[in-house]
Amino acid sequence: MYKQLFALIALLSMAECSIKEGQKLSDFLWEATAEYRQQALNASLIQGMVKKCLDPSAFGGYMVDDTVYCYEGSESLKIAGGRSNDNVTLQTFLNLKAESWVGYWERLNEIWHIKNAEGVRLGEAAKAYVNHIRNVSESQEPVYTVLALTPCAKLWPWLGQQIGASENNFGVYTSWVKENLDPESTGYKKYEQQVEWAYEAGTVTADKALEIFTTSMQNEVNFFNSVARCGCGANVPSCFLLLALLLISSRLYHP
């Protein structure tokens, strides 16, 4: 019920907002989806790392899905690149990014021992995210594929900044957090530049951009929440019971 309420509030907020004269499209999209940033920050994967209680098996499942997400992302970039023959600058960017994403896939499939993406049964959240990116790459102007992948590139450094990725300790996940949620990462700016050029040229509209960007942000949140929540947030009644027992014990042994 709460997820539906949050979604309704977010949709109402977006319905009331529109891009201001002279405002950069990237700033407009980022401001319009602020609610999803907070949801991502409070998602089970991120908070599980912050609280150092994330189940390693759940993390492993997430990473297998993420590995395939990288493979499918590279394929979507190739598709969009193949449809960009009338824009050499954009086509070059898409092809270079496709190569980068192939690199991500190859590095991760070595770590997680994945021979081929087709053999992995994706979780529902990852599957929905992959399908969204693929649909954009096949049915929308090619530059929208860049836009659809921008939340992945921009949200992660923001999350790292919020949780102090550079200086804090996250237990066994510290190295992963420092590498993947690096607050200093600015690669997303190259994505935004491509989209901004297309917006100024009239190829991209604010309404369509907001629709695609928001769906990607929602998918980021859902993917982060695809792992089981740990800590007191996972079972509030049990946590209260544990605290009560600890309080009673302290009274018994320390009158």
Side-chain angles (χ1 to χ4, degrees):
M1 185 178 83
Y2 292 109
K3 287 183 179 179
Q4 294 172 335
L5 181 60
F6 277 129
L8 178 60
I9 292 171
L11 286 171
L12 289 173
S13 298
M14 287 187 293
E16 295 176 356
C17 72
S18 58
I19 191 166
K20 302 180 182 67
E21 185 176 352
Q23 185 180 22
K24 291 182 64 176
L25 179 64
S26 57
D27 292 338
F28 164 67
L29 297 174
W30 193 241
E31 291 171 11
T33 53
E35 176 64 29
Y36 293 110
R37 292 205 302 275
Q38 293 303 318
Q39 289 184 29
L41 179 60
N42 294 319
S44 52
L45 180 82
I46 303 301
Q47 288 304 308
M49 291 179 174
V50 170
K51 297 172 183 176
K52 306 175 189 176
C53 61
L54 181 63
D55 185 341
S57 295
F59 174 73
Y62 173 87
M63 288 307 303
V64 168
D65 276 355
D66 194 46
T67 302
V68 176
Y69 168 82
C70 289
Y71 169 79
E72 296 292 351
S74 71
E75 291 296 301
S76 292
L77 284 162
K78 291 175 186 175
I79 291 169
R83 299 176 60 233
S84 306
N85 294 324
D86 59 338
N87 187 332
V88 177
T89 300
L90 176 61
Q91 187 174 56
T92 299
F93 179 83
L94 287 164
N95 290 339
L96 286 173
K97 284 302 170 186
E99 290 177 12
S100 295
W101 281 62
V102 168
Y104 304 152
W105 147 252
E106 290 176 345
R107 177 170 176 269
L108 288 172
N109 70 30
E110 284 295 320
I111 294 172
W112 294 99
H113 304 283
I114 300 172
K115 185 175 182 180
N116 59 72
E118 291 77 14
V120 175
R121 180 172 56 83
L122 281 176
E124 291 303 313
K127 185 191 300 183
Y129 201 175
V130 164
N131 289 343
H132 162 60
I133 303 296
R134 183 60 49 81
N135 179 63
V136 171
S137 72
E138 293 177 341
S139 65
Q140 302 295 333
E141 287 287 338
V143 69
Y144 280 117
T145 301
V146 179
L147 174 69
L149 292 169
T150 302
C152 178
K154 188 171 186 176
L155 179 63
W156 287 40
W158 181 85
L159 290 170
Q161 184 180 49
Q162 304 309 304
I163 65 175
S166 301
E167 63 272 6
N168 289 333
N169 183 287
F170 302 91
V172 296
Y173 301 107
T174 299
S175 62
W176 188 92
V177 170
K178 289 184 183 298
E179 180 179 351
N180 291 276
L181 304 181
D182 180 8
E184 302 300 318
S185 176
T186 58
Y188 67 88
K189 292 183 179 180
K190 294 181 179 179
Y191 288 73
E192 290 182 333
Q193 186 179 54
Q194 292 292 327
V195 175
E196 202 68 41
W197 286 340
Y199 175 64
E200 292 171 359
T203 306
V204 165
T205 68
D207 288 344
K208 175 58 71 173
L210 181 58
E211 176 190 334
I212 291 173
F213 191 89
T214 300
T215 302
S216 289
M217 288 288 279
Q218 290 173 325
N219 278 305
E220 284 287 330
V221 173
N222 293 340
F223 197 8
F224 286 149
N225 276 325
S226 65
V227 304
R229 185 170 292 275
C230 59
C232 278
N235 194 329
V236 174
S238 296
C239 287
F240 277 121
L241 177 60
L242 176 60
L243 290 172
L245 290 171
L246 289 172
L247 181 60
I248 292 170
S249 298
S250 67
R251 289 294 184 88
L252 288 174
Y253 289 100
H254 303 283

